[in-house]
Amino acid sequence: TKMISYGPCQTPALSFCVDRLREIEAFVPKTYWKIDLQAELPDGKSYVLNWRVPTNDAVMDTRSKREDAYEENATFSQHAARELIERAKGSDVVVKQVTQTSESIKP
């Protein structure tokens, strides 16, 4: 019989691969809402605005290697996203466009 040897490098590498495979197989997609805000002032200058989403509703950025990285302006709370749009509509802000897109981020 032939014996397979797993050395000091192969065993941890194989373990990392198995762990990652298990993470991918256990992944459950979740719907989230992302709001991109841009302000245009009367003088014609435009500014990108950031919405500070509460941490408990924030979407983790799985593409980042940092543990505390969040997707900008993204929330799991549909209510919070709609509330922000309604507050903008009820103010001096002019909502010019609302779009809905679908994006898939791999685990």
Side-chain angles (χ1 to χ4, degrees):
T1 63
K2 198 175 203 182
M3 191 166 156
I4 298 174
S5 171
Y6 295 105
C9 291
Q10 291 130 327
T11 302
L14 182 59
S15 174
F16 294 142
C17 292
V18 170
D19 290 346
R20 183 65 178 139
L21 177 64
R22 287 182 180 148
E23 282 179 21
I24 292 169
E25 289 175 342
F27 179 75
V28 178
K30 293 182 185 177
T31 300
Y32 67 92
W33 288 263
K34 184 172 182 175
I35 297 180
D36 293 318
L37 305 165
Q38 185 173 349
E40 189 174 306
L41 300 181
D43 63 2
K45 292 182 181 179
S46 290
Y47 297 94
V48 174
L49 306 176
N50 286 318
W51 174 35
R52 293 193 179 183
V53 178
T55 306
N56 59 329
D57 287 332
V59 178
M60 291 295 293
D61 185 353
T62 57
R63 295 166 289 192
S64 174
K65 300 297 181 203
R66 290 186 20 223
E67 290 286 327
D68 62 344
Y70 294 97
E71 187 76 27
E72 282 188 1
N73 307 322
T75 180
F76 285 116
S77 171
Q78 180 181 17
H79 175 75
R82 291 193 185 279
E83 186 178 285
L84 180 64
I85 292 169
E86 291 306 315
R87 278 194 301 183
K89 286 180 180 177
S91 69
D92 292 339
V93 173
V94 177
V95 177
K96 290 187 175 182
Q97 179 180 353
V98 175
T99 58
Q100 183 174 350
T101 59
S102 179
E103 178 183 0
S104 179
I105 300 173
K106 296 184 188 240

